[in-house]
Amino acid sequence: MKITIQSLNKQYKNGFSALKNINLEINEGLFGLLGPNGAGKTTFMRILVTLMKPSSGIVQVDDFDLMRHRRQIRSMLGYLPQDFSVFSKLSTWEFLDYTAALAGLTNGRERKRAVDEMLEKVGLYDARDRQANKLSGGMKRRLGIAQALIGHPKIVVVDEPTTGLDPEERIRFRNLLSDMTHREIIIILSTHIVSDISSTCNTMALLNKGELIYNDAPEKLIAEARGHVFQINALDSDLDTIKEKYPVIATIPSADGWEVQVVADGLHDFHGTEIEPNLEHAYVYRMEYGLDN
Ligand code: ADP
């Protein structure tokens, strides 16, 4: 199965172009959509899950067209929106049972088994009788992924799932997504947090100001930044100048001042040593020096 996107544009009523000529193919596995706030990620996700219509362009899921086969495509989708919350007073178990029924699991006995299994998988079985809207932030997010996955969707869309989670819950959530990935489904994860992508995704896209500026493996983006990341041993008095000249990734205190990590096409005024880039360096390098894909 694959999603094919051609010349996708979205212009809001006020004339603002949130997506500009996006061409993209998304295959089975975990696909990461990375970009700063305002890049157009939510707009893109909402179009994919049929909550919003594009201004122009084509989105196809295999042979189904998003505009002509909305119902069929909807039946393949699971969605965890950015602002997922549970308003009702249902227990965790009742809530998931309810969403499972909506997702088409009509046989009571099968549904009960599916709900129990899913609660086990996301680590909420012991919380099954607790009121869903009173769960902690991390637990709610896990209930969110459970409700997105319960109807055996072929495409799962997850919008900024780790925002606001503490590190432990963030790691737990990422592991949960990786665990789901061996099934033959497409999982699309949107995030502005680089480390969400590096540890989980096999393919990624980078969105900036509505434009697709990268689409390939995270490792390739990292390779591109090789030779462009430097560590400068700096004094207090150098810091401002360095920040003016180069995008700074990290400023780490050292014995005699600071170790400053920067991305640059080359260092001119400061002496630095080249260091091995990680995805965060590579992301900043691409955003700042914007090569053609
Ligand atoms: P992201 O999810 O990457 O933060 P969004 O898709 O939410 O980005 O927003 C992309 C851009 O579109 C932002 O600049 C935002 O202000 C703008 N935008 C979002 N919704 C609307 C709207 N209904 N009308 C006009 N502009 C909008």
Side-chain angles (χ1 to χ4, degrees), residues 164-213:
L165 295 187
D166 61 39
E168 202 179 315
E169 275 287 2
R170 179 170 290 169
I171 291 164
R172 185 165 190 173
F173 196 91
R174 280 184 204 148
N175 290 339
L176 200 57
L177 281 187
S178 324
D179 287 349
M180 306 295 169
T181 310
H182 52 77
R183 291 169 45 193
E184 286 179 353
I185 56 175
I186 296 177
I187 301 183
I188 303 174
L189 161 71
S190 124
T191 184
H192 67 278
I193 299 165
V194 179
S195 55
D196 281 352
I197 303 274
S198 46
S199 44
T200 46
C201 297
N202 33 22
T203 327
M204 62 174 284
L206 203 51
L207 210 54
N208 190 30
K209 296 182 183 151
E211 290 183 55
L212 185 73
I213 60 169

Side-chain angles (χ1 to χ4, degrees), residues 101-133:
L102 286 184
L105 299 180
T106 46
N107 178 312
R109 209 140 48 101
E110 277 174 23
R111 189 169 70 240
K112 182 178 178 316
R113 201 175 55 220
V115 169
D116 283 347
E117 271 175 22
M118 186 57 76
L119 286 174
E120 194 72 61
K121 204 178 270 177
V122 300
L124 288 176
Y125 191 77
D126 290 341
R128 65 191 179 281
D129 294 325
R130 283 175 59 184
Q131 202 171 307
N133 62 6

Side-chain angles (χ1 to χ4, degrees), residues 12-14 16 18 35-44 82 159-160:
Y12 282 111
K13 283 203 182 84
N14 64 1
F16 182 81
N37 285 326
K41 301 184 297 297
T42 298
T43 304
F44 181 76
Q82 196 173 356
D159 197 359
E160 298 273 4

Side-chain angles (χ1 to χ4, degrees), residues 7-248:
S7 310
L8 184 71
N9 288 283
K10 176 66 189 182
Q11 196 166 37
Y12 282 111
K13 283 203 182 84
N14 64 1
F16 182 81
S17 277
L19 294 174
K20 300 170 193 163
N21 194 32
I22 305 292
N23 293 287
L24 188 60
E25 201 177 280
I26 303 176
N27 293 296
E28 284 162 10
L30 186 51
F31 177 86
L33 182 64
L34 180 66
N37 285 326
K41 301 184 297 297
T42 298
T43 304
F44 181 76
M45 300 296 213
R46 288 176 62 81
I47 290 173
L48 275 190
V49 299
T50 73
L51 287 176
M52 188 189 273
K53 289 190 173 157
S55 306
S56 63
I58 300 170
V59 179
Q60 278 182 305
V61 178
D62 286 342
D63 292 331
F64 291 117
D65 181 284
L66 188 76
M67 299 302 276
R68 281 184 293 143
H69 307 109
R70 293 179 94 72
R71 199 168 42 81
Q72 289 93 329
I73 289 184
R74 261 185 205 151
S75 72
M76 298 181 199
L77 282 171
Y79 179 42
L80 172 55
Q82 196 173 356
D83 51 5
F84 172 77
S85 49
V86 185
F87 296 107
S88 69
K89 289 193 174 158
L90 296 178
S91 74
T92 300
W93 196 91
E94 286 167 334
F95 174 78
L96 200 55
D97 184 57
Y98 172 69
T99 47
L102 286 184
L105 299 180
T106 46
N107 178 312
R109 209 140 48 101
E110 277 174 23
R111 189 169 70 240
K112 182 178 178 316
R113 201 175 55 220
V115 169
D116 283 347
E117 271 175 22
M118 186 57 76
L119 286 174
E120 194 72 61
K121 204 178 270 177
V122 300
L124 288 176
Y125 191 77
D126 290 341
R128 65 191 179 281
D129 294 325
R130 283 175 59 184
Q131 202 171 307
N133 62 6
K134 292 198 175 145
L135 296 175
S136 72
M139 289 168 112
K140 267 189 200 155
R141 220 64 66 90
R142 281 189 267 138
L143 181 58
I145 195 70
Q147 63 80 36
L149 288 165
I150 189 84
H152 302 298
K154 295 199 164 67
I155 302 168
V156 182
V157 175
V158 187
D159 197 359
E160 298 273 4
T162 67
T163 308
L165 295 187
D166 61 39
E168 202 179 315
E169 275 287 2
R170 179 170 290 169
I171 291 164
R172 185 165 190 173
F173 196 91
R174 280 184 204 148
N175 290 339
L176 200 57
L177 281 187
S178 324
D179 287 349
M180 306 295 169
T181 310
H182 52 77
R183 291 169 45 193
E184 286 179 353
I185 56 175
I186 296 177
I187 301 183
I188 303 174
L189 161 71
S190 124
T191 184
H192 67 278
I193 299 165
V194 179
S195 55
D196 281 352
I197 303 274
S198 46
S199 44
T200 46
C201 297
N202 33 22
T203 327
M204 62 174 284
L206 203 51
L207 210 54
N208 190 30
K209 296 182 183 151
E211 290 183 55
L212 185 73
I213 60 169
Y214 181 79
N215 174 30
D216 212 320
E219 294 75 28
K220 253 184 151 167
L221 192 67
I222 292 173
E224 207 175 75
R226 209 157 275 144
H228 300 286
V229 186
F230 301 92
Q231 183 159 298
I232 303 171
N233 291 319
L235 301 171
D236 267 348
S237 53
D238 296 329
L239 277 185
D240 285 346
T241 321
I242 293 174
K243 282 180 187 159
E244 269 168 34
K245 287 188 187 268
Y246 307 105
V248 171

